[in-house]
Amino acid sequence: HAIEPWLLDEEIIGSSIAGSVSLGPLDYPILLFYTFPLFLMPLVFRTIANFRDMARQSKINKMENINPIQQLEISRDAIAMMIDDNTNLKPLRARVQVGITVPERGAIITSLGRTEGGQPSPGMSTKLPDKRIATGDNVGIGVGEATPMQLSTRRSVILEPMRIMETGDWKTDLSTGRSFKLDLPLSQWPGTVYSSMIAVHWEIVVEFLDDKDSLIKWVSPVIMPQSSKKTIIENAPIRSGRSELSNF
């Protein structure tokens, strides 16, 4: 309505369609007939996407669980590895990534002087129902869904990014049966540390193509030795915890 007088003066619209529209009681069922499908479309698309994700997870769970990494040498300079020549997967690229995992809920509550079942700390929600797969949402500090709908199995096939994470460069010229080196992230990170509050996690991500040319990843945790030098991370590389961003 703000620009309607100008549209009339410029004869862009006619006076027959200008002004307010009055709907009577008999017009609302017709209006609902056209608008209700628009409200259902996002739900339909999300339902289809969830079923596709679950079918994909079920397919991966049925695959034979064979470690494709045949040889692995870990040092503070680089990681040398070799992919098994007998694997039926085609390697595409690989890299090293390191980050800080989400602390345990009990450790956060204890450090803040709170008790479970009481008033949640600022930025935390009440405890969610127990799940078999521990994600950031279970801690009560996640915002929205971090991962797509997952199957109720102990074997997770969804890669959830760490909230603070740095990656090395992708190594693309891969072939089976030949050793190659992966560069570490540029910043100096501590070695592997696992505790209830602070956990520094190192892992290798290798992307493959299966027999149907579908992309699949193999994620292998590695135990990185501690550095003899002082490690300082001046700027923490904060990332989103959504799984869509794990494929960057």
Side-chain angles (χ1 to χ4, degrees), residues 93-217:
R93 58 180 185 172
R95 74 177 180 191
V96 180
Q97 55 191 36
V98 57
I100 308 296
T101 61
V102 178
E104 295 181 5
R105 180 181 177 88
I108 298 177
I109 292 178
T110 302
S111 64
L112 296 176
R114 302 295 180 100
T115 58
E116 189 65 75
Q119 178 69 28
S121 302
M124 296 184 65
S125 65
T126 56
K127 186 177 181 180
L128 301 178
D130 293 334
K131 300 179 183 178
R132 293 186 177 183
I133 303 174
T135 63
D137 291 338
N138 293 78
V139 183
I141 57 176
V143 179
E145 293 183 356
T147 61
M149 184 178 293
Q150 303 184 49
L151 296 177
S152 57
T153 59
R154 294 184 178 274
R155 183 183 177 189
S156 175
V157 297
I158 301 295
L159 179 61
E160 182 180 351
M162 291 172 281
R163 310 301 168 89
I164 300 178
M165 183 177 69
E166 186 178 2
T167 64
D169 295 332
W170 285 107
K171 182 74 173 180
T172 55
D173 53 338
L174 305 184
S175 61
T176 58
R178 181 175 62 88
S179 179
F180 57 90
K181 289 186 177 182
L182 299 178
D183 296 330
L184 302 183
L186 296 178
S187 302
Q188 281 291 331
W189 283 78
T192 302
V193 176
Y194 290 118
S195 67
S196 59
M197 177 59 72
I198 298 177
V200 182
H201 178 72
W202 290 76
E203 62 187 14
I204 296 174
V205 180
V206 186
E207 289 187 355
F208 295 92
L209 285 180
D210 60 11
D211 53 354
K212 295 184 179 179
D213 290 337
S214 297
L215 185 65
I216 187 172
K217 294 183 179 181

Side-chain angles (χ1 to χ4, degrees), residues 223-239:
I223 304 299
M224 179 63 64
Q226 300 295 333
S227 175
S228 58
K229 301 179 181 179
K230 186 177 181 179
T231 57
I232 299 177
I233 303 175
E234 296 182 355
N235 298 316
I238 300 176
R239 300 181 182 272

Side-chain angles (χ1 to χ4, degrees), residues 28-61:
Y28 284 104
I30 300 177
L31 183 63
L32 183 64
F33 177 79
Y34 289 103
T35 58
F36 188 66
L38 297 178
F39 290 102
L40 291 182
M41 285 179 62
L43 298 178
V44 173
F45 291 153
R46 184 57 187 267
T47 302
I48 295 174
N50 284 337
F51 277 110
R52 292 186 61 184
D53 287 337
M54 295 176 68
R56 173 70 170 162
Q57 295 175 51
S58 179
K59 175 185 175 182
I60 296 176
N61 276 325

Side-chain angles (χ1 to χ4, degrees), residues 52-114:
R52 292 186 61 184
D53 287 337
M54 295 176 68
R56 173 70 170 162
Q57 295 175 51
S58 179
K59 175 185 175 182
I60 296 176
N61 276 325
K62 293 179 181 178
M63 295 177 62
E64 189 176 1
N65 188 10
I66 299 178
N67 189 350
I69 300 178
Q70 185 178 14
Q71 182 180 352
L72 189 64
E73 297 179 1
I74 304 171
S75 68
R76 293 292 305 187
D77 298 325
I79 294 181
M81 60 177 294
M82 183 170 63
I83 300 176
D84 193 354
D85 197 19
N86 296 323
T87 181
N88 57 353
L89 302 175
K90 179 183 177 182
L92 295 180
R93 58 180 185 172
R95 74 177 180 191
V96 180
Q97 55 191 36
V98 57
I100 308 296
T101 61
V102 178
E104 295 181 5
R105 180 181 177 88
I108 298 177
I109 292 178
T110 302
S111 64
L112 296 176
R114 302 295 180 100

